[in-house]
Amino acid sequence: MPVELNYQDTGGDGVPLVVIHGLFGSADNWRSHVKAWQETLRVVTVDLRNHGRSPHAEGMGYDTMAEDVIQLLDRLAIPRVHLLGHSMGGKVVITLARLAPARVASLIVGDIAPLAYGHDHDTVFAGLRRLEDGRPANRHEADALLGEHVKERAVRLFLATNLERVEQGGLKLRLGLDEIQDDYETIMGPPAGEGTFPGPTLVLRGAHSHYVTDEMLPALREVLPEAEVVTLDAGHWLHAEQPEAFRESVEVFLARHAA
């Protein structure tokens, strides 16, 4: 059953750019990009279910998450969009483009292919559970708790964006962690839907990431036959590691496919 997603909308004219985050992310992660894009575009950033300020609900299937986004577009009376999704969000936008291609003016996929992936978030789940149990009073304590399981500081800083202060004091996670972990197998699976999305498509991948390798490109083009693949000097978090190159690639693509 669809849920009413939290969103941020810059307003403006024209076909909006709808931005969808990855696993453990939120609309807040895209603030710097939105600040730049809103000069020329209407930008709508979305919190997927169990993320950010959106409701917690069972079911993380890609068809379910895409239907949540379609319902939001209906609520905002937006008939057609440019879609940008990173990682898990990339699979959501591929699914939406398959389910409702008439609503997608163009597709931008950040460092993900329409394939199943291996399980590599065990330490992240362990760190987030430690945060839940530890009830940190401040961000220094939170980082120490996360650090018992997650060694990469950049990953800890990213995960800490999911902390919010509560009235009784201290910090708590705003993630629907139970719902995410219960359906983790589905999240690691391929996008939902069948067939291809024949519209304009940009795939941005990181040169130092294993998520979109050359070996994956034939399978990617079976689903996204018009995909233009651009490689940035970055890892999986290419929009954070190479923000200017990422923004420029998106802007050049959108300028060519303005609708």
Side-chain angles (χ1 to χ4, degrees):
M1 183 174 178
V3 301
E4 284 201 3
L5 299 178
N6 181 68
Y7 67 96
Q8 298 165 24
D9 185 354
T10 64
D13 300 323
V15 177
L17 172 65
V18 174
V19 182
I20 301 182
H21 61 80
L23 183 61
F24 307 123
S26 73
D28 292 343
N29 303 146
W30 293 86
R31 280 177 181 161
S32 62
H33 291 293
V34 172
K35 187 175 180 181
W37 287 331
Q38 70 182 359
E39 298 298 319
T40 55
L41 293 165
R42 177 182 178 184
V43 187
V44 179
T45 43
V46 176
D47 286 335
L48 295 172
R49 59 171 56 202
N50 300 310
H51 291 76
R53 297 173 183 83
S54 282
H56 297 178
E58 291 182 0
M60 293 289 292
Y62 286 107
D63 52 350
T64 299
M65 289 192 281
E67 288 293 345
D68 288 344
V69 177
I70 290 170
Q71 185 188 73
L72 173 61
L73 300 182
D74 290 344
R75 187 156 44 110
L76 297 176
I78 298 174
R80 203 158 180 256
V81 297
H82 301 287
L83 277 179
L84 187 165
H86 173 253
S87 197
M88 180 184 77
K91 291 185 181 181
V92 173
V93 299
I94 292 170
T95 300
L96 197 158
R98 281 171 144 180
L99 296 178
R103 303 195 72 164
V104 182
S106 72
L107 190 64
I108 304 169
V109 178
D111 207 52
I112 203 75
L115 300 166
Y117 287 80
H119 300 181
D120 58 359
H121 291 92
D122 290 350
T123 57
V124 170
F125 280 120
L128 292 172
R129 291 297 183 188
R130 184 70 183 95
L131 271 185
E132 276 193 332
D133 296 339
R135 301 188 178 186
N138 53 54
R139 291 191 175 271
H140 179 75
E141 286 184 15
D143 188 65
L145 292 170
L146 270 175
E148 294 176 18
H149 297 278
V150 180
K151 301 310 175 188
E152 303 90 343
R153 175 165 169 75
V155 177
R156 295 200 306 274
L157 288 172
F158 166 68
L159 294 173
T161 63
N162 291 293
L163 289 167
E164 60 183 3
R165 191 159 296 281
V166 293
E167 286 184 13
Q168 54 268 44
L171 300 168
K172 74 164 188 175
L173 282 173
R174 62 186 187 183
L175 289 166
L177 196 54
D178 290 343
E179 291 84 356
I180 293 170
Q181 200 158 16
D182 285 348
D183 227 1
Y184 181 69
E185 193 82 27
T186 303
I187 295 169
M188 290 297 102
E194 295 180 357
T196 65
F197 171 68
T201 303
L202 172 66
V203 176
L204 293 167
R205 64 175 179 170
H208 313 296
S209 168
H210 65 275
Y211 279 82
V212 186
T213 62
D214 288 346
E215 292 75 20
M216 296 174 181
L217 294 181
L220 184 148
R221 288 201 165 95
E222 285 182 12
V223 177
L224 304 171
E226 298 300 315
E228 171 190 348
V229 179
V230 173
T231 305
L232 302 181
D233 185 18
H236 184 54
W237 304 99
L238 63 180
H239 57 296
E241 295 173 39
Q242 292 286 347
E244 291 181 6
F246 182 88
R247 264 199 305 272
E248 183 181 358
S249 296
V250 170
E251 289 163 6
V252 168
F253 174 78
L254 290 177
R256 289 208 317 268
H257 299 288

